Amino acid sequence: MSHEECETTVVKDCYCPACQGDKATTTLLLTKIPYFRELIIMNLYCEVCGNRDAQVSFGGSIQDEGQRITLTVRCSEDLNRQIVKSDSATLFFQTLDLEIPRSTQQGKISTLEGILQTTVNQLTQQQAERLRSGDVDNFHRCRAVIDTINRWINNAEIKSENETPGIDNSSDFPFEVILDDPAGNSYIENFQAPKRDPQLTHTPYRRTPQQDAVLGLQPSFDTEKNTEHTDSKALRYKIHACEDERFEPTEKCVPKDEIMSFPTTCPSCRCPTETNMCTTSIPHFQSVILMCMLCSNCGYRSNDVQGNGGAISERGTRITLNVTDMVDLSRDVLTSTTATIFIPEADLEVGGCSLGGVYSTVEGILTQIVGHLETTNPFAMGDSTIGRTGGKVRQEGELSYRFNDFLNKMKAMISGQHFPFQIILTDPLSNSFVGRRSGNSDVSVNERAMRDENLFLEEYERSHAENEALGLNDVMTEHDQLTP
């Protein structure tokens, strides 16, 4: 980090919330954590009363979607996970029926144990006041919460060495911690990075108009109440275009190869802009929807490929590609938002929500995966790689070394230095596609799969869980009839 990036700003004669004087000094540091976000670190010190306060605010952009992270705490080691709680995030402990709101412990980087200890201190400070005011019921509820948290912390400190790692015999475990951040700028450390942590669940969601207002954003066009009660701008366009005729999405309402534009809001600067949409067909595959946006105000650009331009497939598709040379790296690949990519050699699984709809080559997909992993694993860099786990100091740089070894293996695959390896693309809606090798004749997908020694195509019946996740179990078509 350069000297300019670490330059501090000192503001004197600030207001002190403790003594209500104006002799406090605030120090501001604008910096950036590698593979994470821009941060504003603020420290306040009052010479009169000695009050100190430190906060961390996020100086970067608000993410396109909110993020809900659920952690299952199975043992005392999980209390040492590092947590980034932005000033818009809330923490909820279902076992305790306890919520740490956005106004409490704002902009904090700590461990789960540190956040719990701060909660105990804050609750304990008000216990005497609760008794004096006669709020006995609330006093006992708070004491029960304090006692439970203290048992968690004390169990982490006195845990015996002969206990099985990763398993806690205490009846207080397991319990769940839910970190909900509408801005999408909060994180919980992944002990298995870069692999998937089975104790962590990430759920992205669209913000409500109320959440947008709290963040100081104008509610998106999708969430504003309208007389038609539609959820998307594209669907609203189709309704207007087809109000006098039978609804036929692909053929009439969304003409193929014709570019349509509709108004939207830039997720970066929140200024009005336009999104272009076009429906086209991939030969011997199906129709896809191409969407792109370029903001003329700030230059932000994005593109997306939706592989659901036609009807929903009756079966899912699993495509297995054996990458043996540079020609296989140049194959065209279309991944939809419902597809999952699995690379056995790297023990890596990436869901469709991570990359979104992407049309690229094998090399391009792998490059995007590496970039996404570097961006979403802030605890694999810097001081955060040194911590305590289960009362023992972790080997310095252990997480960083493991993460960097993984990235080096992925980059070797991209550069053609690691052959062969396998890519398994599973899509329950059959909206993903792997192209032919250069020089092959123009044949259909099934014929290509039979002739291509490195490409294998398999259709399978979707499970009940997959249908439930896609919302297909609630679709009722028994009484529908086709209109000639």
Side-chain angles (χ1 to χ4, degrees):
M1 187 176 297
S2 63
H3 173 73
E4 290 75 10
E5 292 176 318
C6 296
E7 186 175 354
T8 59
T9 302
V10 179
V11 182
K12 297 183 178 181
D13 299 332
C14 297
Y15 173 77
C16 176
C19 66
Q20 299 183 356
D22 57 355
K23 297 300 182 181
T25 302
T26 300
T27 304
L28 303 176
L29 173 64
L30 279 68
T31 184
K32 180 178 181 180
I33 296 179
Y35 302 113
F36 187 41
R37 300 275 189 268
E38 297 84 358
L39 299 180
I40 303 176
I41 303 175
M42 298 173 288
N43 180 67
L44 180 142
Y45 174 68
C46 181
E47 298 179 355
V48 178
C49 64
N51 176 48
R52 290 182 178 272
D53 187 22
Q55 289 187 5
V56 178
S57 296
F58 291 86
S61 60
I62 297 175
Q63 305 305 304
D64 294 342
E65 294 181 318
Q67 186 78 228
R68 184 179 297 108
I69 307 175
T70 303
L71 168 65
T72 302
V73 181
R74 296 179 179 174
C75 61
S76 56
E77 293 180 357
D78 291 325
L79 297 181
N80 292 281
R81 290 179 184 258
Q82 299 182 79
I83 294 180
V84 177
K85 180 182 180 295
S86 73
D87 48 12
S88 62
T90 59
L91 267 172
F92 180 67
F93 299 84
Q94 188 172 4
T95 303
L96 303 176
D97 195 18
L98 171 69
E99 180 179 274
I100 302 178
R102 57 187 298 271
S103 58
T104 305
Q105 303 190 46
Q106 289 182 324
K108 190 163 188 176
I109 301 179
S110 181
T111 61
L112 178 57
E113 180 180 347
I115 291 178
L116 289 173
Q117 186 63 63
T118 303
T119 302
V120 168
N121 296 338
Q122 293 176 348
L123 291 176
T124 303
Q125 289 175 0
Q126 302 296 326
Q127 284 293 78
E129 181 64 28
R130 295 185 184 98
L131 280 180
R132 284 194 296 266
S133 63
D135 193 359
V136 181
D137 292 339
N138 199 19
F139 171 83
H140 288 294
R141 283 195 296 267
C142 291
R143 187 171 67 176
V145 171
I146 293 172
D147 292 343
T148 302
I149 294 177
N150 283 331
R151 286 200 305 271
W152 292 345
I153 296 176
N154 293 334
N155 184 66
E157 294 176 351
I158 64 175
K159 181 178 177 182
S160 60
E161 295 183 357
N162 57 1
E163 224 174 327
T164 304
I167 299 177
D168 208 303
N169 298 327
S170 172
S171 59
D172 294 321
F173 296 95
F175 64 90
E176 284 190 350
V177 180
I178 301 176
L179 179 60
D180 192 334
D181 187 2
N185 286 325
S186 297
Y187 287 89
I188 297 180
E189 183 179 8
N190 177 4
F191 277 171
Q192 307 296 328
K195 300 180 182 178
R196 177 181 176 273
D197 194 330
Q199 296 176 232
L200 282 175
T201 303
H202 296 258
T203 306
Y205 63 88
R206 287 187 176 275
R207 287 186 290 268
T208 64
Q210 293 78 11
Q211 290 173 327
D212 279 334
V214 170
L215 296 174
L217 302 176
Q218 180 181 359
S220 63
F221 190 73
D222 285 341
T223 56
E224 290 181 348
K225 186 175 181 180
N226 56 82
T227 57
E228 294 165 327
H229 301 285
T230 54
D231 294 329
S232 68
K233 298 175 283 294
L235 178 58
R236 198 171 299 119
Y237 175 90
K238 295 176 184 178
I239 291 178
H240 287 309
C242 304
E243 56 186 0
D244 296 329
E245 56 187 355
R246 294 290 181 181
F247 178 58
E248 299 178 16
T250 303
E251 303 300 331
K252 293 184 179 180
C253 299
V254 187
K256 292 185 179 180
D257 300 324
E258 180 178 336
I259 299 177
M260 296 179 297
S261 299
F262 52 83
T264 186
T265 302
C266 175
S268 178
C269 66
R270 314 304 297 180
C271 292
T273 184
E274 286 189 346
T275 295
N276 296 326
M277 182 178 72
C278 175
T279 301
T280 187
S281 295
I282 296 179
H284 308 294
F285 183 49
Q286 64 179 23
S287 298
V288 296
I289 299 176
L290 307 178
M291 304 179 69
C292 67
M293 186 198 72
L294 174 61
C295 179
S296 58
N297 182 61
C298 66
Y300 176 85
R301 64 175 63 197
S302 67
N303 58 79
D304 192 11
V305 180
Q306 297 291 338
N308 53 358
I312 295 178
S313 175
E314 295 182 358
R315 297 182 178 182
T317 302
R318 183 176 295 108
I319 304 174
T320 302
L321 174 64
N322 294 323
V323 182
T324 58
D325 52 32
M326 297 299 296
V327 179
D328 287 325
L329 285 176
S330 62
R331 290 176 184 259
D332 291 335
V333 177
L334 169 66
T335 62
S336 70
T337 55
T338 59
T340 301
I341 299 175
F342 177 59
I343 304 177
E345 287 75 10
D347 196 14
L348 172 68
E349 183 175 350
V350 180
C353 294
S354 300
L355 298 178
V358 178
Y359 182 72
S360 182
T361 62
V362 174
E363 179 182 355
I365 293 290
L366 295 178
T367 302
Q368 292 194 37
I369 291 175
V370 170
H372 178 76
L373 290 174
E374 291 178 336
T375 304
T376 56
N377 284 277
F379 297 112
M381 295 294 296
D383 295 340
S384 62
T385 60
I386 307 173
R388 301 187 64 87
T389 301
K392 299 180 180 180
V393 179
R394 283 184 291 174
Q395 182 180 358
E396 181 176 351
E398 174 187 353
L399 177 60
S400 178
Y401 292 151
R402 186 172 68 239
F403 188 72
N404 287 330
D405 287 343
F406 170 82
L407 291 182
N408 291 334
K409 180 184 293 185
M410 292 293 298
K411 292 176 181 178
M413 294 178 181
I414 296 173
S415 61
Q417 300 175 6
H418 187 287
F419 288 128
F421 62 92
Q422 196 174 70
I423 296 178
I424 302 175
L425 184 61
T426 304
D427 191 344
L429 290 183
S430 297
N431 288 330
S432 297
F433 168 83
V434 176
R436 60 187 177 86
R437 286 174 62 94
S438 301
N440 279 16
S441 59
D442 191 10
V443 294
S444 66
V445 174
N446 292 330
E447 291 175 336
R448 182 172 63 253
M450 289 187 293
R451 299 181 186 181
D452 197 331
E453 297 179 353
N454 294 341
L455 184 65
F456 303 91
L457 179 67
E458 173 190 0
E459 291 187 345
Y460 68 93
E461 293 289 341
R462 284 188 294 266
S463 64
H464 182 274
E466 289 177 323
N467 285 329
E468 185 68 24
L470 296 170
L472 299 179
N473 291 332
D474 300 326
V475 177
M476 308 296 293
T477 59
E478 296 84 30
H479 305 292
D480 293 350
Q481 295 181 357
L482 295 176
T483 302

